[in-house]
Amino acid sequence: MRGIIGLILAGLGAFLILVAVLLPTWVVGQVVKFPLNEYETATLEASNASYFSTTSLSEKTGVSLEATYTIKGDGSAGNSSTAVWNEYSYVYDLTNHQLVQQPSRTFAFNRRTAQLVNCCGASVNGDTSVRQTGLVGYVFPFGTQKQTYQVFNTSLEKTVPFVYSGTTSVDGVQAYEFVENIPPTQIGSETLPGSFVHMKAASVTLGEYDAEHVIYYVDPETGALIDVNEQQSTTLRTSASAAPALVGFDADLIATPATVTQIVALDSSGRNELTLIETTLPIVLGIVGGVALLAGILLGRKPHEDLAELDDVSREAAVPDPGQAAVSGEADASGPGRHAAERAGIVPGWHHEGAERSADPPEGEGPDGRGSPSAG
């Protein structure tokens, strides 16, 4: 029974050690993924912002803006390897109480690497012809590295570099800082009345230029974007180096403290799960598995060791003591010889002959023997 228990423990220990090895290597890659049914909101605010109001056909300056971003996963459109998320943005003028922008986006991406996939109804502002490539931007790969990443930019409709610029802390969480710098880059053109840009011509066509300075703060373990600062300027001008003729949008949007706290709390939950799978469980399972394996080996070998000890005792009992052999004829039946025979009796077929000879005197000795005095 002891041997069976030993085999069971040894097998269990080996299995636990195997699981401890596979958890941070293979299992993490199969289990740890970005969710299908994501739901998250973030609020950014800007002061002293400017934009062109299509409602009043005038430029608004010095206003306070609030931008709300909502991410909602489409679980039915995704699968084990690809997630499909929808993003809805709502930029509101708090000063004049009117809508400024309402962009939208649908994107599909690899649930492990955060690389965009061109499928599943992906679109930018409803335009499905836009091919989205590079990283999502809202999330980075698990185990984010200190390197430059190509992230898709919806304004330029192409990837742009986000350069690693340092490590910082966001609400106590270590974060990698990635920076995007886009100089004024033409993204289109607009034809509008000359009076809008203080020109005499009835209508003018100007280039639409986009310039950005964006900072992403990413948790390198989870790839989550935990803080952001988006400075964007869209202007109409005759060339990239010319002065803006009209400001379409200019704001420095910063995530609110409440948003950062909320996102960090959500990220901490994911980081704890990663730590459990990648570190805590492997260590615990490795220790328990090692102990079980060792115990199983010892239990499996114990019966053989007992038998060896018994064999040693038997051999010691079988070797007669020289001093005892000299006086074996005088030994009492209950003396040491008998006790030795009793101990040696645990080995079948072994007998202590000295004890038997001591019980029967040799022929010729005693009252009737040849050496006794005659009667007459």
Side-chain angles (χ1 to χ4, degrees):
M1 176 62 71
R2 185 183 299 170
I4 295 175
I5 295 176
L7 288 174
I8 294 174
L9 283 176
L12 177 61
F15 173 74
L16 291 178
I17 292 174
L18 178 62
V19 173
V21 173
L22 291 178
L23 270 175
T25 55
W26 184 79
V27 174
V28 167
Q30 301 299 314
V31 175
V32 179
K33 301 176 182 179
F34 294 111
L36 291 173
N37 296 305
E38 176 75 351
Y39 185 81
E40 183 179 344
T41 61
T43 300
L44 282 69
E45 292 179 343
S47 59
N48 197 28
S50 302
Y51 70 96
F52 183 80
S53 171
T54 56
T55 302
S56 62
L57 298 180
S58 63
E59 191 174 335
K60 304 291 184 182
T61 60
V63 302
S64 294
L65 299 181
E66 180 183 78
T68 302
Y69 298 89
T70 300
I71 299 291
K72 186 176 182 180
D74 186 351
S76 61
N79 53 47
S80 61
S81 61
T82 304
V84 179
W85 291 0
N86 296 301
E87 180 227 333
Y88 307 98
S89 303
Y90 189 86
V91 182
Y92 189 73
D93 178 356
L94 296 173
T95 302
N96 298 290
H97 307 289
Q98 63 182 36
L99 176 66
V100 178
Q101 294 179 355
Q102 198 172 3
S104 63
R105 177 188 179 193
T106 297
F107 52 93
F109 63 99
N110 184 287
R111 297 178 63 190
R112 180 69 189 173
T113 65
Q115 287 285 336
L116 288 162
V117 179
N118 189 39
C119 75
C120 317
S123 65
V124 175
N125 296 319
D127 185 357
T128 57
S129 67
V130 178
R131 183 177 179 84
Q132 301 182 53
T133 59
L135 288 185
V136 171
Y138 296 110
V139 289
F140 277 58
F142 288 101
T144 299
Q145 302 298 305
K146 298 176 180 179
Q147 65 180 53
T148 298
Y149 287 95
Q150 296 295 322
V151 180
F152 186 77
N153 183 296
T154 55
S155 297
L156 301 179
E157 296 186 354
K158 66 178 183 179
T159 60
V160 295
F162 271 75
V163 181
Y164 169 78
S165 63
T167 301
T168 186
S169 177
V170 177
D171 274 13
V173 176
Q174 184 190 61
Y176 288 173
E177 184 178 307
F178 295 92
V179 178
E180 172 210 49
N181 278 306
I182 305 297
T185 303
Q186 187 170 357
I187 59 176
S189 59
E190 293 288 341
T191 300
L192 67 164
S195 59
F196 283 2
V197 291
H198 310 290
M199 293 184 178
K200 295 181 178 179
S203 66
V204 294
T205 299
L206 299 174
E208 183 179 6
Y209 288 81
D210 180 73
E212 299 180 18
H213 177 74
V214 178
I215 304 175
Y216 281 172
Y217 300 90
V218 179
D219 181 342
E221 293 185 38
T222 64
L225 183 62
I226 55 178
D227 195 5
V228 63
N229 179 192
E230 296 181 348
Q231 183 176 353
Q232 183 178 16
S233 175
T234 304
T235 58
L236 296 181
R237 57 180 76 185
T238 55
S239 68
S241 58
L246 185 146
V247 174
F249 183 84
D250 185 21
D252 185 6
L253 292 163
I254 301 172
T256 65
T259 290
V260 173
T261 299
Q262 171 190 332
I263 294 177
V264 167
L266 184 63
D267 176 65
S268 297
S269 176
R271 196 172 346 100
N272 291 338
E273 292 178 4
L274 271 179
T275 301
L276 177 66
I277 297 176
E278 292 183 335
T279 305
T280 306
L281 278 180
I283 291 175
V284 172
L285 292 177
I287 293 174
V288 174
V291 171
L293 179 60
L294 180 61
I297 292 174
L298 292 177
L299 285 175
R301 295 179 58 184
K302 192 66 177 177
H304 302 291
E305 294 173 0
D306 289 344
L307 183 56
E309 292 176 1
L310 293 176
D311 287 342
D312 291 341
V313 173
S314 299
R315 283 192 292 270
E316 290 174 2
V319 178
D321 184 89
Q324 180 178 333
V327 296
S328 60
E330 299 176 1
D332 185 82
S334 61
R338 180 171 181 178
H339 289 298
E342 290 174 353
R343 288 196 300 271
I346 62 175
V347 181
W350 193 91
H351 302 284
H352 193 285
E353 297 177 356
E356 295 176 354
R357 286 195 296 269
S358 66
D360 298 318
E363 184 177 353
E365 296 183 8
D368 297 329
R370 184 177 298 179
S372 61
S374 67

